[in-house]
Amino acid sequence: MHKNSDIVEKWVAWSHECDAHSYTNFAGLQALVMRSVAEAGECFVRIRPRRPTDGLTVPLQLEVMEAEMVPASMSRTLANGNEIVAGIEFNKIGARVAYHVYKTHPGDGVAFSLTDTVRVPANRILHVRLIHRPGAVRAEPWLTKALVKLKDLDAYDDATLVKAKVSALFGGFIHAPGNSDEDDEVIAGLTPERHPDDDDVVIDPLEPGSFPVLPPGYDVKFSNPPDVGSTYAVFMQTQLRSIATSLGITYEQLTGDFSGVNDRIIRASLLEFKRRARMWQQQLLVHQFCRPVWQQFMNLGLLAGEFSTRDEGFETDPEWIPEAWEYLNPSQEIDALRKEVEGGFASRSEVIQSRAKDPVAVDEQIAKDNERADGLGLMHTSDGRYSKFEDIGAPSDGETLDENEGN
C-alpha cells in the first residue's frame, strides 16, 4: 500500500477517533482487546456506524466489550428454530446470526435483569478469541490451567510467611531455682513507672551485645522455633516456571527475574515465545480484529463518499505489519540481516517489513536524503552509491595521509 495515499491518510486520521469511548486510538484498542482475551479468554468488539453529521473522518467507531456482556448462561431454542448457545444465536445451518448483549455490565452495580439483553446482528460484532477446539462457541481464560496451582502456591507462600514470623520470635524462658521462695516476683525489664519491691527478683532484658547477670540459681533456656527452610526459593521458581509454561510465556517475563541468565539464554528462550506471539498477532488481532475493521472502514468510507475504488492506494485486504522486536544484540543481528540480503536469502523489502516499516516509504525517504545531500555537495558513508574509500578520499598505494587530513 502506498504510504502517501489519500486512503491511508484518512485511516491514520480515523485511527485517533475510532474509540467509541474516546479513551485511546486504534493501537490502544488492539492492546485492550489482547489484554481482555488473555484475562477472559475472549473479547467482543461492537461495530458502531455513525451519522455523517458526527464529524468523523469515516462514520464508524468501535466499542470494546468484556466477555461478561454476552451472557454465557443464556441458552434456549427460539420460535423461528434458531438456537441461542451461550448468548450467541445460530440459525438452522449453524451459522452465527446474532449476539445477545446486556445493556449494562453485570458488575457495574446498577439494577439490571438477566434477560434484559439487546439482539445485535452478527455482522456488527467481532468475537476475538483463541480457538482451542473445533466448534467451540466460547473461550476460556488463559490462566484456567494454572488457577489451581496459583491458589495452592498462594497458600504455600502465606504459610511460609507465617512460619518466618514464628521463627523471628526468638526468645527464652527463665527457670527459677527449685528452692526459690514462691512469694518472690520475677520482674524482667522494669519500666520507669514500675519500681520493684524489696523481695522482687529483677532480671534485665536480653539486648544485642549485652551480658546480663542472672540472680544465683536462675537459668535461661532458649526457644527453638521452626526454620523457614532452604527449599522455598527453589520450590517457588519451579512452580512459577510451570505457570509461565501454561501461559505460553517465559519465566523471566512472568516474574521479571533475570538473575543467572545471559543474553544468549534469553535469546534462545524468546524464540518459542516469538513464534507464539506471531500466532497471536496473525490469528487473533489481524484475522479476527484488524481485517474486519478495515473492511468496515472501507465500506462505510465508500458509502460516505470519502474515497472511491479508483483512488490510489485502494486496497481491500492490506498486509498488516506488527511492531518490530527490539534487538538484543544490535551489532550481531543487523550484521546477520545484511548478510541474508547479500547472500540472496532475503530481500530488502522483507527485512524492512520485519522492522515494522514500509519498504516503499523507506526507499522514497532514502532517495530524498540522497537528493538533498547531492544538492548540498555532501557525501555520507551511509550512501550506498559510493564506496567507503571514495567517500573519505582514501590515499592510493604509496601515499600517506597527513595527520589532520581525511578527518
Side-chain angles (χ1 to χ4, degrees), residues 65 69-71 99-103 116-120 125:
M65 302 183 301
M69 290 294 291
V70 177
Y99 290 80
H100 294 259
V101 183
Y102 283 131
K103 294 182 179 180
D116 190 13
T117 60
V118 177
R119 185 181 184 274
V120 181
I125 294 287

Side-chain angles (χ1 to χ4, degrees), residues 44-59:
F44 297 95
V45 181
R46 187 169 181 178
I47 305 297
R48 292 282 194 177
R50 300 304 190 189
R51 297 184 179 90
T53 56
D54 289 337
L56 300 174
T57 305
V58 170

Side-chain angles (χ1 to χ4, degrees), residues 237-273:
Q237 288 179 354
T238 303
Q239 298 303 308
L240 290 173
R241 284 191 173 93
S242 176
I243 293 171
T245 301
S246 66
L247 290 175
I249 61 177
T250 65
Y251 166 80
E252 290 77 17
Q253 291 173 314
L254 177 67
T255 63
D257 179 15
F258 290 88
S259 60
V261 296
N262 53 39
D263 60 336
R264 292 180 179 272
I265 297 177
I266 292 297
R267 207 179 322 179
S269 63
L270 285 178
L271 290 178
E272 180 62 29
F273 172 73

Side-chain angles (χ1 to χ4, degrees), residues 335-374:
D335 186 60
L337 292 175
R338 178 179 60 81
K339 290 181 178 178
E340 282 190 14
V341 175
E342 293 177 351
F345 300 106
S347 64
R348 287 183 58 256
S349 296
E350 183 180 354
V351 172
I352 294 173
Q353 287 179 345
S354 69
R355 302 309 305 162
K357 297 179 180 179
D358 183 4
V360 176
V362 171
D363 287 343
E364 290 180 350
Q365 189 174 15
I366 291 175
K368 290 180 180 179
D369 290 345
N370 292 339
E371 183 181 356
R372 184 173 63 253
D374 292 343

Side-chain angles (χ1 to χ4, degrees), residues 2 13 31 85 99 173 217 224 262 308 339 352 407:
H2 199 277
V85 180
Y99 290 80
F173 306 94
N224 186 22
N262 53 39
S308 70
K339 290 181 178 178
I352 294 173
N407 294 337

Side-chain angles (χ1 to χ4, degrees), residues 84-106:
I84 300 178
V85 180
I88 304 174
E89 184 178 338
F90 297 85
N91 61 16
K92 296 179 180 179
I93 63 174
R96 300 185 180 215
V97 295
Y99 290 80
H100 294 259
V101 183
Y102 283 131
K103 294 182 179 180
T104 59
H105 192 280

Side-chain angles (χ1 to χ4, degrees), residues 120-196:
V120 181
N123 60 358
R124 287 290 181 261
I125 294 287
L126 304 180
H127 188 187
V128 185
R129 79 281 190 199
L130 189 62
I131 303 175
H132 290 283
R133 62 180 181 84
V137 176
R138 303 293 292 265
E140 62 183 18
W142 291 8
L143 272 173
T144 299
K145 298 179 180 178
L147 285 178
V148 175
K149 187 176 290 295
L150 282 170
K151 182 178 183 301
D152 294 340
L153 190 64
D154 181 65
Y156 172 79
D157 189 51
D158 291 342
T160 304
L161 178 61
V162 173
K163 191 176 182 180
K165 290 181 178 180
V166 173
S167 300
L169 300 176
F170 183 77
F173 306 94
I174 299 176
H175 291 259
N179 57 353
S180 61
D181 190 351
E182 294 181 357
D183 295 332
D184 291 346
E185 182 180 359
V186 178
I187 303 175
L190 288 174
T191 61
E193 294 79 12
R194 176 85 182 272
H195 298 282

Side-chain angles (χ1 to χ4, degrees), residues 7-12 14-15 57-60 291-303 307:
I7 295 178
V8 174
E9 291 178 358
K10 290 185 181 295
W11 168 266
V12 173
W14 175 81
S15 67
T57 305
V58 170
L60 168 68
R291 290 179 70 250
V293 168
W294 174 264
Q295 294 295 334
Q296 294 287 340
F297 171 83
M298 296 297 293
N299 293 338
L300 292 176
L302 289 171
L303 291 175
F307 40 77

